Amino acid sequence: MLTREPRHKPDAWSTWKKKVKPAWVQPLAMIEWLLEWVAFILSNWRFLEVLEYLGTFSVLVAVVLYFHESESRIRQGHYQAWQVINTAQGKGGNGGRVDAMQQLNADHVSLAGIDVSGAFLHGVVLPGAHLLRSNFSAADARDSNFKSADFSNADLSSANFRNANLRDSMLRGASMDNADFSGADLSRSELSETSLLNTDLSFADLADVHWQEIKTVRGANIYGVKNAPAGFQDWAKQHGAITTAPPNE
């Protein structure tokens, strides 16, 4: 609120003009004297003081409404993000899906069942994302971050997860057939009931993966895998895995 200073009643003009020298300045002094009277009258007008209080109150109301409506704005943002994702469904390219997915995940919104098949998701950052039963088939998710994400029963077939971070991820029941996980970090991931038919795992980090209940590993390329658990490579070869060096090796 504005600080209102108390004003004293101005002197009469006859007294005021005696203070003004030389005489030619008196017309200007009269204007100042009149403004002094206007200021004095307005300073005692309670209506203006009420307006000042109302102005301060309106600011307070605006602040309260801003925070009150913040949840509504967040929901609207989520709705728009889902619109972007659903509109681009079945189409190639990015289509704004990377930003939309990252926004939803940052707000802890589940992405379960999302369909981004064939999408260009290079470098997407979705740590801890809920992606169970999602469809990433033929998607390009190279250099992405899915640390601790849940891909339970997801379709990752023919997708490109080259050099992706899937450390501590849940891949139980996922289909990774014909997918490229070359150089990916799969350490401590859960691969129980996962299908790895013809999957490229060359140079992937398999430290402490849970592999004992993998559904199939036939045709999977385990060339140069890092930190493989004891017994994994022998078991994989016995069940049809191959060790073929990539063309650039």
Side-chain angles (χ1 to χ4, degrees):
M1 188 182 76
L2 297 176
T3 302
R4 185 180 296 279
E5 298 179 357
R7 288 184 173 273
H8 300 288
K9 184 177 180 181
D11 295 330
W13 170 244
S14 57
T15 304
W16 184 282
K17 69 179 181 178
K18 291 178 182 179
K19 304 175 184 177
V20 180
K21 294 178 182 181
W24 63 268
V25 182
Q26 287 188 1
L28 295 175
M30 177 171 283
I31 294 175
E32 184 179 354
W33 175 75
L34 290 172
L35 291 175
E36 282 286 339
W37 271 99
V38 171
F40 170 71
I41 293 170
L42 292 178
S43 69
N44 291 281
W45 195 15
R46 295 301 179 187
F47 177 69
L48 292 180
E49 187 173 352
V50 171
L51 288 180
E52 289 180 11
Y53 281 114
L54 288 176
T56 303
F57 182 71
S58 65
V59 172
L60 177 61
V61 170
V63 171
V64 172
L65 288 176
Y66 176 83
F67 286 104
H68 178 69
E69 295 174 356
S70 61
E71 185 176 347
S72 176
R73 287 194 302 274
I74 292 173
R75 286 199 302 268
Q76 181 65 22
H78 293 170
Y79 173 75
Q80 291 172 351
W82 278 115
Q83 272 194 318
V84 169
I85 294 169
N86 293 332
T87 301
Q89 185 172 320
K91 301 176 182 178
N94 183 334
R97 283 176 283 194
V98 168
D99 289 337
M101 292 168 70
Q102 290 179 164
Q103 175 190 339
L104 291 169
N105 189 57
D107 290 339
H108 307 290
V109 177
S110 173
L111 299 174
I114 192 171
D115 186 347
V116 288
S117 53
F120 183 75
L121 306 174
H122 188 186
V124 66
V125 180
L126 295 172
H130 297 282
L131 295 162
L132 55 161
R133 298 186 303 280
S134 58
N135 186 353
F136 276 72
S137 60
D140 185 345
R142 289 170 294 164
D143 303 306
S144 51
N145 183 355
F146 292 100
K147 185 178 185 299
S148 302
D150 186 353
F151 280 102
S152 298
N153 301 304
D155 184 358
L156 311 181
S157 57
S158 301
N160 188 344
F161 282 85
R162 181 177 288 260
N163 299 319
N165 180 1
L166 292 106
R167 185 180 181 86
D168 296 304
S169 60
M170 169 58 72
L171 292 158
R172 178 183 290 273
S175 172
M176 299 163 64
D177 299 344
N178 301 296
D180 186 352
F181 283 83
S182 177
D185 184 357
L186 290 164
S187 56
R188 298 205 304 242
S189 61
E190 174 61 73
L191 298 177
S192 299
E193 302 176 22
T194 301
S195 179
L196 297 172
L197 181 67
N198 300 322
T199 305
D200 187 355
L201 295 173
S202 57
F203 305 107
D205 190 342
L206 303 181
D208 300 318
V209 295
H210 298 94
W211 60 274
Q212 287 82 357
E213 298 177 35
I214 289 177
K215 183 183 296 184
T216 180
V217 74
R218 184 163 54 86
N221 189 4
I222 59 172
Y223 179 87
V225 292
K226 305 171 187 175
N227 306 312
F232 170 77
Q233 294 191 64
D234 290 338
W235 172 87
K237 291 174 184 178
Q238 291 171 8
H239 289 79
I242 60 176
T243 54
T244 304
N248 57 347
E249 286 296 308

